[in-house]
């Protein structure tokens, strides 16, 4: 091309005209002007199109004759604006100086109008200046618009996409997955201990941590993946082509490790942790909202549990969308009223000699219609609803009444009832529990309420008050799922708890993990010094049972001893269990 051989110039112009004389005249006038202009000439519509479509073509201005031998020059306007540059000024150059034609030219997308009859170097130069000003204005406008759009779609702190852009992209990915079957993973990541950084070191440190986490994540993702900051210390990702549970665990696990690398700030080393929940599409469907809330729900599972990354497998997580919840709760309320909600019983034993020490009650609800719902999801849904109080008292009424005959038949066994922390806030809770225990003729010393460790951390002052007033009524409190919340052991000294249950996630990996074994060992020592009985949950094998006993953890519960069983089977099970003792084998 001609201009490639010229020295660098200010403006590249294209002249489209089939008249050789007119073209040369305009070129000359352009070269006469104050700016350095390089000119490319096209003698027909076809040639012009060819030039426009040539890769890496760039023109700052186009001069266009209307009447070309192969068609109307005006037809080129859309091609110039769409294929070349939306801000490229076009000057109409025609033989007749009709005002109407000028107006029509401007209307059809041209910027300026020149008449061949009255052409002069000055006029041409003036129109070039007009066009350049127009172009700059358009470009500025476009930039400002883009900037505004960007700002409305991005988080100002990290410059990552925000929630609305993330959701947009998620919708696109889901639509594509539905069409093509390409799998995607939706990941929610939430930082642990971020609040501590913010509270103790200030917001500047907090912002620095968020920026660093954002950079680490972005640097380790592929171009095709999306990472967004949804707010606070919450990040969300869309990962393409993650087809399996295992692949998700591997990739997201790696990302979490990266996030957890120490961060240097102000001569301090900061450690923030992270937990992630993953929802896979198409395994969990194609609905963006449902996927996001499944990822969110499992992220909270990860926060509570030992695994830093949890992949949602339970399609029920999806059943509990905002739309379904009221229906489910209505149904559940009716089921309670009709006495269709049951509690299964799981024995707890002294693993040294097999003596039964108590039973834990676990809710079971067989929905008449609809998908079955796991106790965990049911409880989580109820906990967030006004039904919590009804549920808790209904539970106590049922299991206390059922416990009375067991207690008289077996003697020294306890009843453990799971309690949601939120119900502790209700006025008169402890008194009502004590009253119900008394009305059922049960010794309060044989009743234990199980409360998760997280409840204790989240509201220590309140929990302490509740524990103390329970104790005043001789009712014990057990710390459930211990270890899952990574409480400092110091807490245990401060609370007068009656029992500690080690979270089953530690016990499940017990035989492979030295960490879990050493946690149990330290807990044994601590609990002995405090005189608190220690219970292992989730004892699934004989090997685990023996190992726990060897380490000094004496009490246990789990499928390997007995799964939770319907109430009607409790008495027969007790009879059978005692017949089989003192045999050392585990029951089926
Ligand atoms: P949790 O209090 O930690 O209950 C123990 C869970 O472990 C039960 O799950 C039980 O079925 C399960 N489990 C028992 N032995 C084993 C084992 O050897 N291996 C494994 N992998 N699991 C075992 P479930 O019944 O699904 O209950 C889940 C959670 O729902 C409970 O966890 C508790 O937090 C809550 N929950 C259950 N019933 C009630 C209730 O009546 N009220 C309240 N507030 N929460 C309840
Ligand atoms: Ca429990
Ligand atoms: Ca537990």
């Amino acid at each position: 091309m001609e201009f490639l051989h010229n020295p660098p110039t200010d403006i590249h112009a294209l002249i489209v005209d089939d008249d050789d004389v007119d073209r040369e005249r305009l070129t000359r006038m352009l070269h006469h002007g104050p700016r350095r202009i390089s000119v490319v000439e096209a003698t027909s519509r076809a040639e012009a199109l060819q030039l426009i479509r040539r890769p890496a073509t760039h023109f700052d201005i186009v001069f266009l004759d209307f009447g070309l031998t192969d068609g109307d020059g005006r037809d080129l306007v859309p091609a110039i604006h769409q294929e070349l540059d939306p801000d490229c000024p076009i000057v109409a150059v025609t033989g007749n100086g009709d005002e109407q034609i000028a107006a029509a030219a401007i209307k059809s997308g041209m910027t300026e109008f020149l008449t061949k009859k009255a052409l002069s170097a000055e006029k041409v130069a003036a129109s070039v200046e007009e066009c350049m000003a127009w172009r700059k204005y358009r470009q500025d406008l476009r930039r400002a618009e883009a900037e505004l759009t960007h700002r409305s779609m991005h988080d100002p702190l990290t410059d990552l996409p925000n929630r609305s852009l993330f959701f947009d992209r998620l919708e696109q990915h889901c639509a594509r997955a539905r069409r093509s079957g390409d799998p995607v993973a939706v990941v929610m990541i939430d930082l642990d201990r971020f609040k501590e950084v913010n509270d103790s070191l200030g917001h500047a440190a907090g912002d620095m941590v968020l920026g660093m986490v954002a950079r680490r994540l972005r640097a380790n993702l592929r171009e095709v993946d999306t990472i967004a900051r949804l707010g606070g210390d919450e990040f969300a990702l869309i990962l393409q082509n993650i087809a399996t549970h295992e692949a998700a665990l591997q990739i997201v696990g790696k990302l979490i490790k990266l996030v957890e690398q120490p961060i240097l700030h102000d001569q301090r080393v900061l450690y923030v942790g992270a937990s992630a929940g993953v929802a896979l599409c198409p395994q969990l469907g194609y609905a963006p909202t449902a996927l996001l809330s499944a990822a969110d729900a499992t992220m909270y599972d990860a926060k509570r549990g030992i695994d830093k990354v949890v992949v949602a497998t339970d399609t029920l997580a999806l059943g509990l969308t905002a739309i379904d919840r009221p229906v489910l709760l209505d149904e559940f309320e009716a089921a309670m009223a009709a006495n269709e909600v049951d509690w299964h019983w799981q024995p707890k034993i002294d693993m040294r000699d097999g003596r039964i020490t108590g039973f834990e009650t676990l809710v079971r609800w067989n929905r008449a219609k609809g998908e079955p719902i796991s106790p965990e999801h049911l409880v989580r849904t109820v906990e967030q609803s006004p039904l919590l109080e009804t549920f808790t008292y209904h539970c106590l009424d049922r299991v206390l009444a059922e416990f009375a005959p067991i207690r008289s038949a077996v003697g020294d066994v306890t009843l453990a009832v799971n309690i949601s922390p939120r119900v502790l806030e209700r006025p008169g809770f402890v008194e009502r529990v004590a009253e119900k225990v008394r009305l059922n003729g049960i010794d309060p010393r044989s009743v234990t309420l199980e409360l998760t460790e997280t409840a204790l951390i989240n509201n220590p002052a309140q929990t302490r008050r509740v524990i103390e007033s329970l104790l005043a009524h001789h009712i014990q409190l057990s710390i459930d799922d211990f270890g899952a919340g990574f409480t400092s052991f110091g807490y245990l000294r401060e609370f007068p708890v009656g029992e500690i249950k080690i979270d089953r996630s530690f016990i499940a990996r017990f035989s492979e993990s030295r960490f879990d074994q050493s946690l149990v060992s330290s807990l044994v020592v601590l609990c002995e010094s405090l005189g608190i009985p220690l219970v292992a949950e989730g004892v699934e094998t004989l090997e685990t049972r023996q190992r726990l006993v060897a380490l000094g953890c004496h009490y246990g519960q789990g499928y390997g001893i007995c799964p939770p069983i319907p109430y009607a089977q409790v008495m027969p099970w007790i009879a059978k269990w005692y017949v089989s003792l003192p045999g050392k084998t585990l029951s089926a």
Side-chain angles (χ1 to χ4, degrees):
M1 298 227 319
E2 180 180 341
F3 62 76
L4 289 180
H5 307 294
N6 288 345
T9 47
D10 285 351
I11 294 175
H12 298 305
L14 170 68
I15 299 175
V16 188
D17 197 328
D18 54 357
D19 187 318
D20 296 346
V21 178
D22 288 348
R23 236 183 15 251
E24 270 158 36
R25 192 156 70 110
L26 184 56
T27 304
R28 223 176 28 250
M29 285 176 176
L30 280 170
H31 286 150
H32 251 95
R35 294 218 193 210
R36 296 203 299 173
I37 299 184
S38 74
V39 177
V40 176
E41 296 177 16
T43 58
S44 66
R45 217 170 71 105
E47 200 189 333
L49 267 179
Q50 227 177 22
L51 282 167
I52 289 165
R53 291 183 176 154
R54 195 168 288 185
T57 311
H58 158 79
F59 293 114
D60 300 296
I61 188 166
V62 177
F63 293 89
L64 200 56
D65 182 21
F66 282 9
L68 298 168
T69 40
D70 58 346
D72 193 327
R74 274 170 290 201
D75 294 351
L76 285 169
V77 173
I80 293 168
H81 284 158
Q82 281 159 30
E83 298 176 42
L84 191 63
D85 176 0
D87 299 329
C88 180
I90 303 171
V91 185
V93 190
T94 62
N96 30 40
D98 190 322
E99 287 298 317
Q100 253 175 352
I101 294 181
I106 302 292
K107 225 170 163 181
S108 66
M110 306 202 192
T111 323
E112 279 281 305
F113 186 87
L114 286 175
T115 330
K116 286 182 183 174
K117 281 183 188 139
L119 219 53
S120 68
E122 291 70 36
K123 274 193 181 154
V124 172
S127 101
V128 168
E129 289 317 308
E130 276 299 314
C131 284
M132 290 306 112
W134 178 86
R135 195 165 83 122
K136 185 169 179 311
Y137 167 77
R138 295 269 304 198
Q139 284 171 339
D140 289 350
L141 199 68
R142 214 176 281 279
R143 252 196 297 274
E145 255 175 43
E147 170 72 22
L148 276 178
T149 316
H150 183 89
R151 267 197 232 168
S152 73
M153 304 278 229
H154 289 77
D155 159 44
L157 179 66
T158 58
D159 202 40
L160 294 177
N162 63 14
R163 186 180 287 274
S164 86
L165 179 55
F166 179 81
F167 204 76
D168 247 35
R169 298 226 183 127
L170 185 57
E171 278 179 327
Q172 286 168 16
H173 280 287
C174 288
R176 190 177 322 145
R178 198 191 284 276
R179 278 195 315 270
S180 64
D182 290 346
V184 272
V186 183
V187 185
M188 289 283 288
I189 297 181
D190 190 273
L191 303 186
D192 308 330
R193 293 186 296 276
F194 177 71
K195 203 178 162 307
E196 287 167 33
V197 171
N198 240 347
D199 289 352
S200 59
L201 301 176
H203 285 288
D207 288 355
M208 200 281 287
V209 167
L210 291 174
M212 179 63 88
V213 168
R215 274 196 298 282
R216 285 180 182 171
L217 286 172
R218 190 160 40 188
N220 284 281
L221 288 174
R222 297 160 301 176
E223 271 300 308
V224 292
D225 298 328
T226 295
I227 161 171
R229 177 170 170 234
L230 300 192
D233 57 348
E234 216 174 56
F235 296 86
L237 318 176
I238 304 168
L239 306 179
Q240 282 198 42
N241 291 317
I242 305 289
T244 64
H245 200 103
E246 291 69 36
L249 278 181
Q250 203 202 348
I251 293 204
V252 181
K254 239 196 256 164
L255 292 173
I256 295 294
K257 282 223 175 68
L258 277 163
V259 170
E260 290 186 329
Q261 297 288 311
I263 295 174
L264 209 61
H265 173 69
D266 208 7
Q267 296 181 327
R268 268 172 207 267
V269 184
L270 309 180
Y271 294 91
V272 288
S275 312
V278 186
L280 297 176
C281 166
Q283 286 93 323
L284 294 188
Y286 301 95
T289 322
L291 286 167
L292 199 56
S293 61
D296 195 52
T298 40
M299 189 264 288
Y300 281 104
D301 285 345
K303 263 208 176 319
R304 273 194 293 266
I306 174 90
D307 295 322
K308 308 234 86 187
V309 183
V310 177
V311 181
T313 46
D314 193 348
T315 47
L316 291 168
L318 290 172
L320 297 184
T321 58
I323 307 146
D324 291 343
R325 218 169 266 149
V327 177
L328 186 94
L329 287 169
D330 276 357
E331 220 185 287
F332 184 61
E333 189 171 17
M336 278 195 291
N339 237 343
E340 287 165 8
V341 179
D342 294 313
W343 273 262
H344 277 196
W345 294 59
Q346 186 176 37
K348 179 174 76 184
I349 63 162
D350 184 328
M351 293 187 288
R352 290 167 297 184
D353 55 12
R355 185 176 55 91
I356 301 167
T357 60
F359 290 89
E360 176 180 2
T361 54
L362 295 155
V363 70
R364 293 293 180 268
W365 179 34
N366 284 321
R367 286 175 82 183
K369 44 187 193 280
E371 300 238 7
I373 177 162
S374 75
E376 225 157 344
H377 282 127
L378 174 65
V379 169
R380 196 185 295 152
T381 311
V382 172
E383 274 174 352
Q384 293 159 10
S385 80
L387 218 53
L388 177 61
E389 242 180 317
T390 317
F391 169 67
T392 307
Y393 294 128
H394 179 77
C395 162
L396 284 162
D397 285 337
R398 278 287 300 273
V399 301
L400 285 167
E402 290 178 345
F403 182 57
I406 297 180
R407 171 81 181 169
S408 9
V410 189
D412 197 15
V413 290
T414 59
L415 166 70
V417 186
N418 290 290
I419 294 293
S420 303
R422 265 197 46 210
V423 84
L424 303 183
E425 300 160 10
R426 308 309 302 167
F429 169 72
V430 174
E431 286 68 31
R432 266 185 93 169
V433 176
E435 168 83 353
K436 287 181 187 297
V437 171
R438 196 177 54 78
L439 284 176
N440 280 283
I442 291 168
D443 179 358
R445 274 166 256 266
S446 63
V447 176
T448 303
L449 302 189
E450 294 195 358
L451 197 66
T452 57
E453 183 198 10
T454 12
L456 195 123
I457 310 168
N458 289 344
N459 200 341
Q462 181 189 53
T463 312
R464 171 191 297 281
R465 268 198 308 280
V466 171
I467 298 179
E468 277 162 4
S469 60
L470 280 171
L471 277 180
H473 290 95
H474 307 291
I475 296 170
Q476 297 284 338
L477 194 109
S478 163
I479 301 299
D480 205 350
D481 301 350
F482 190 86
F486 292 101
T487 327
S488 75
F489 290 167
Y491 266 107
L492 297 179
R493 276 185 236 281
E494 290 171 33
F495 291 92
V497 298
E499 177 190 79
I500 287 166
K501 300 181 83 170
I502 311 172
D503 191 64
R504 60 180 186 276
S505 57
F506 289 99
I507 308 301
R509 308 185 323 181
F510 192 65
S511 43
E512 303 116 59
S513 164
R514 274 183 196 288
F515 170 72
D516 295 342
Q517 288 177 26
S518 71
L519 177 110
V520 174
S521 300
S522 344
L523 265 178
V524 165
V525 173
L526 184 75
C527 288
E528 260 171 15
S529 75
L530 297 171
I532 304 173
L534 185 62
V535 183
E537 299 186 318
V539 179
E540 293 186 352
T541 65
L542 182 58
E543 189 202 338
T544 303
R545 175 176 167 178
Q546 288 167 341
R547 230 185 248 258
L548 283 164
V549 171
L551 285 174
C553 174
H554 298 157
Y555 303 98
Q557 207 181 318
Y559 295 165
I561 297 156
C562 177
I565 50 175
Y567 177 66
Q569 289 173 25
V570 174
M571 292 301 281
W573 180 84
I574 294 171
K576 228 177 81 200
W577 180 258
Y578 276 126
V579 167
S580 73
L581 286 184
K584 289 263 185 318
T585 50
L586 286 172
S587 84

